[in-house]
Amino acid sequence: MPKILGSSRIGYPRYRYIRHLAVGCWGGGGSGPAGHSRWKIPNLIDGLYSRGTVRSGAPGTRIRVSATRQSSTFASTLVREPLFEYELRLDERRSRLRAAESQMRTLAHLRLATFGLAALWVWWVFRTPSWDWTLGLLPIPPFGLLVIQHERVSRIAARARRAVRYYELARDRLDLIFAGSGQSGERYLTDPEHPYLAHLDLFGTGSLFELMSQAQTRAGEDKLASWLSAPAGVPELRERHAAVRELRELLDLREDLGILGPEIDRAVEADRLLAWGASEAYAVPRQTRILAASLVATTLLAGVLALFDWVSWLPFLFALLTEIVFSLRWRLWVRGVLRDTDRMAQELSLLGALMRRIENEDFSSRRLVDLRARLETDGVPPSEQIERLRKLVELLDARRNQMFALLAPLLMWTTQISFAIAAWRQACGPALEGWLDGIAEIEALCDLATYAYERPDDVFPEWAEQGPVFEAEGIGHPLIQPSQCVRNDIVLDSKRALYVVSGSNMSGKSTFLRAIGTNLVLAFAGAPVCARRFTVSPLALGASIRILDSLRDGSSRFYAEIQALRRVVRLTQDELPVLFLLDEILSGTNSHDRGIGAAAVVRQLLGRGAIGLLTTHDLALSKICDEWGDRAGNVHFEDTVVDGKMRFDYRLRAGVVEKSNALALMRSVGLDVGE
């Protein structure tokens, strides 16, 4: 019987890569892996492809890979196409880096040799009796060319080095070995009143944000964080899904945006840049700019006429004096304009690199087309607008040239360039917010696309028109290794609004709640979810899972928990139905008060149309379901003892758990609790 191994994306070019790799690794006699003789591996690929087992269609389309159990070892390579693609690209980038570094070493040796020969040449020229000093300049052009070439190759090597690092991190993400290698996003855990951020592994070291975020700008990180922190509407999510599906296949674009340079890495201070662009304090009337240009033209004309003795020097001196008075009048204004110009121009040039790459891509999804259109100002792409500013700054820097420094005051160079920069700010400053927001959104969409590409078996959610509905088949936690992730099914709606989850310690209750919450956050951010099928209506998420006391705030664990419960209950006052996740509800108080309090909380939540789950060790809380009839049910996780050791299968079962393992766990760590 054929065995379904998974899903991937493959076309004929990819098939050729795979077959070429197989021929290179196993082309010839002898034995290959898993007992295959080497000649069988390429034939296996040909057979899979020709029989339609690998269905190609257009390059980049999704396929199902089927193979017999005998060929499953190699076919798993086909299934893990993201890893295969990353390995191919990583090898190619490493080869490119080695070639560039080899060229750099060769150029360095040539520069040294050229310098030595130049020194000998100059020595020979100057010791010759009838020497011509111009001959000593001959080594300068070849040495200069070597310097320019070395700089070019150095940039290529730096880019290849960043690409190698990019794909090394990407490969590690596939194995979930990423903690500490990216941005943790802990700065977004600042709102103590948020209903779920502190209770799910969304931010922090090893978090979902660190796994997903590849943004080069702080604004891009902020955008992704905002999507994880607040659910979007269904129309918005449908547009995001279309954009993510398109970007998922654009590996070259995502690579380019990810390696444009570490100097971009969150260097752009959005607030400062927006304040600089929005300032109206340095606006210059058009008449003033015309007057300045006229003064310079008059001074130059008077000077030329005086040089040819057509007029006296008096008009020139008068015009020059007028220029000096004009420059003094605008001196403080010019200083204010130039104070942050260099810094802001540098930051904008970094953004320009991102924009230029985005402008060169042809998009088809509505969201991406609209985003690129929004970046333009007066029909001009933002990269061109930023290039104008860069050239103005270069012209401004020309005043520091020793040859030009004497002429610059005559031309009122600094004042006139400052006027031009102020005019640029007046024309393009209002567009900066749109540029930053557009880039941030494209970066966030690329983060979702990378996440989707690296998880080809995850699915995009389906939207239920009538709610509340939460239905997941084969749901798992996205931060658990697929080989270790145990998936379960869950359905919540108005007919079955509550599950009370009982179970022993370490049996998987809290992880199950986090899996539900994390996937719901992914769904409403626009990403695929870790499930085989996922249907949900618009919901607000409220959680009480990770409860910590605070010595600084004088808050006990019980008080922190009831505050979290208050936030969840308060959510039901809003328009959206609530999905609540309550872990070990009211565990910080006695059994009597816990039973009364938990029942009251559930009564408020279900009475206001909420759906959800609560977990407990206290089996008495399972009786809460009696009050709600078919609208509530008991489920549980359990453990078994094998050879004196506890085993957990993390499978969700119907009913109330029938045993606990607290004493067994205490004995397992060496505590004497008697028989």
Side-chain angles (χ1 to χ4, degrees), residues 38-203:
R38 292 180 180 176
W39 65 270
K40 288 182 180 179
I41 299 298
N43 292 345
L44 169 63
I45 303 169
D46 292 336
L48 290 173
Y49 197 92
S50 62
R51 291 197 306 269
T53 310
V54 179
R55 294 191 280 274
S56 63
T61 57
R62 288 185 65 84
I63 58 95
R64 300 296 295 182
V65 178
S66 304
T68 63
R69 185 178 301 274
Q70 182 182 12
S71 61
S72 62
T73 300
F74 180 76
S76 64
T77 304
L78 302 181
V79 172
R80 295 199 63 182
E81 193 226 347
L83 176 60
F84 182 80
E85 181 70 31
Y86 286 164
E87 291 287 0
L88 281 178
R89 289 173 173 252
L90 181 58
D91 288 344
E92 194 276 334
R93 273 46 169 190
R94 283 173 172 166
S95 298
R96 191 180 301 176
L97 176 59
R98 286 193 296 268
E101 290 177 339
S102 176
Q103 290 182 29
M104 288 175 62
R105 288 192 295 270
T106 301
L107 289 169
H109 294 155
L110 288 175
R111 286 171 60 185
L112 182 61
T114 303
F115 181 81
L117 292 174
L120 290 174
W121 172 258
V122 171
W123 174 80
W124 181 82
V125 167
F126 279 90
R127 71 183 297 271
T128 303
S130 58
W131 61 273
D132 184 353
W133 66 270
T134 58
L135 295 176
L137 302 179
L138 289 179
I140 293 179
F143 186 80
L145 290 175
L146 288 174
V147 170
I148 294 172
Q149 181 68 3
H150 187 277
E151 180 64 25
R152 186 186 71 82
V153 176
S154 178
R155 289 195 298 269
I156 293 174
R159 181 181 177 89
R161 194 173 292 110
R162 292 194 295 270
V164 167
R165 180 60 177 163
Y166 177 84
Y167 284 113
E168 286 176 344
L169 292 175
R171 185 183 57 185
D172 290 344
R173 285 197 305 272
L174 293 178
D175 294 325
L176 295 180
I177 308 172
F178 65 91
S181 62
Q183 295 295 313
S184 68
E186 288 184 3
R187 64 181 181 276
Y188 300 111
L189 294 172
T190 57
D191 183 6
E193 293 296 310
H194 197 281
Y196 62 79
L197 282 190
H199 301 275
L200 304 172
D201 298 309
L202 301 181
F203 300 102

Side-chain angles (χ1 to χ4, degrees), residues 299-598:
T299 303
L300 292 176
L301 178 61
V304 170
L305 293 176
L307 281 174
F308 287 94
D309 291 331
W310 291 343
V311 297
S312 68
W313 286 96
L314 188 60
F316 171 77
L317 294 176
F318 179 78
L320 184 60
L321 180 62
T322 306
E323 280 191 356
I324 293 173
V325 172
F326 185 91
S327 298
L328 291 174
R329 161 66 179 80
W330 288 91
R331 181 182 58 181
L332 294 178
W333 180 92
V334 168
R335 287 181 180 176
V337 169
L338 302 182
R339 184 178 300 117
D340 293 325
T341 294
D342 285 343
R343 167 75 173 168
M344 296 300 106
Q346 181 184 7
E347 294 190 358
L348 281 171
S349 68
L350 303 179
L351 288 178
L354 290 172
M355 293 176 177
R356 192 175 302 109
R357 181 61 184 88
I358 293 168
E359 292 162 5
N360 291 334
E361 196 71 35
D362 292 326
F363 296 120
S364 59
S365 65
R366 175 182 172 184
R367 187 54 168 269
L368 293 174
V369 171
D370 289 347
L371 280 173
R372 194 170 62 177
R374 274 168 40 194
L375 293 176
E376 295 187 357
T377 304
D378 298 329
V380 180
S383 62
E384 294 184 16
Q385 300 279 22
I386 292 172
E387 181 65 14
R388 282 179 48 218
L389 178 63
R390 188 191 65 80
K391 290 180 178 179
L392 287 173
V393 173
E394 283 187 355
L395 291 173
L396 182 66
D397 291 339
R399 61 186 173 158
R400 299 187 177 97
N401 185 286
Q402 294 180 353
M403 301 293 292
F404 188 70
L406 296 176
L407 186 60
L410 184 65
L411 301 176
M412 291 199 301
W413 190 259
T414 302
T415 303
Q416 294 219 77
I417 298 299
S418 298
F419 286 167
I421 291 173
W424 187 95
R425 288 171 62 174
Q426 196 169 10
C428 298
L432 288 180
E433 184 173 4
W435 293 353
L436 283 169
D437 189 66
I439 288 177
E441 185 160 346
I442 289 176
E443 284 192 303
L445 287 170
C446 283
D447 289 341
L448 300 185
T450 300
Y451 181 83
Y453 176 77
E454 294 174 353
R455 294 170 172 265
D457 291 330
D458 286 7
V459 299
F460 283 97
E462 300 174 4
W463 308 111
E465 296 182 1
Q466 302 294 328
V469 171
F470 181 90
E471 182 176 347
E473 178 183 322
I475 190 171
H477 200 297
L479 297 180
I480 296 178
Q481 288 280 2
S483 60
Q484 301 173 3
C485 182
V486 178
R487 297 169 178 256
N488 289 285
D489 302 338
I490 183 72
V491 177
L492 289 165
D493 52 31
S494 56
K495 296 179 180 179
R496 178 58 64 89
L498 171 68
Y499 281 109
V500 176
V501 185
S502 56
S504 55
N505 296 286
M506 301 171 58
S507 60
K509 302 187 303 299
S510 300
T511 301
F512 184 55
L513 294 192
R514 290 193 177 100
I516 292 173
T518 303
N519 281 289
L520 191 63
V521 169
L522 284 170
F524 286 117
V529 296
C530 185
R532 288 189 293 272
R533 189 171 64 84
F534 194 94
T535 303
V536 66
S537 64
L539 295 169
L541 175 62
S544 174
I545 300 175
R546 183 177 287 119
I547 302 297
L548 300 174
D549 56 6
S550 174
L551 183 63
R552 183 184 62 183
D553 298 333
S555 172
S556 67
R557 186 190 184 283
F558 179 74
Y559 186 76
E561 182 180 5
I562 62 175
Q563 291 281 25
L565 292 175
R566 175 187 59 82
R567 288 190 289 271
V568 174
V569 171
R570 190 172 59 188
L571 273 180
T572 60
Q573 300 173 2
D574 298 333
E575 181 179 354
L576 285 178
V578 173
L579 188 148
F580 59 87
L581 304 170
L582 310 180
D583 189 34
E584 301 295 348
I585 184 171
L586 299 177
S587 61
T589 187
N590 61 74
S591 180
H592 176 266
D593 291 349
R594 178 163 54 248
I596 296 174

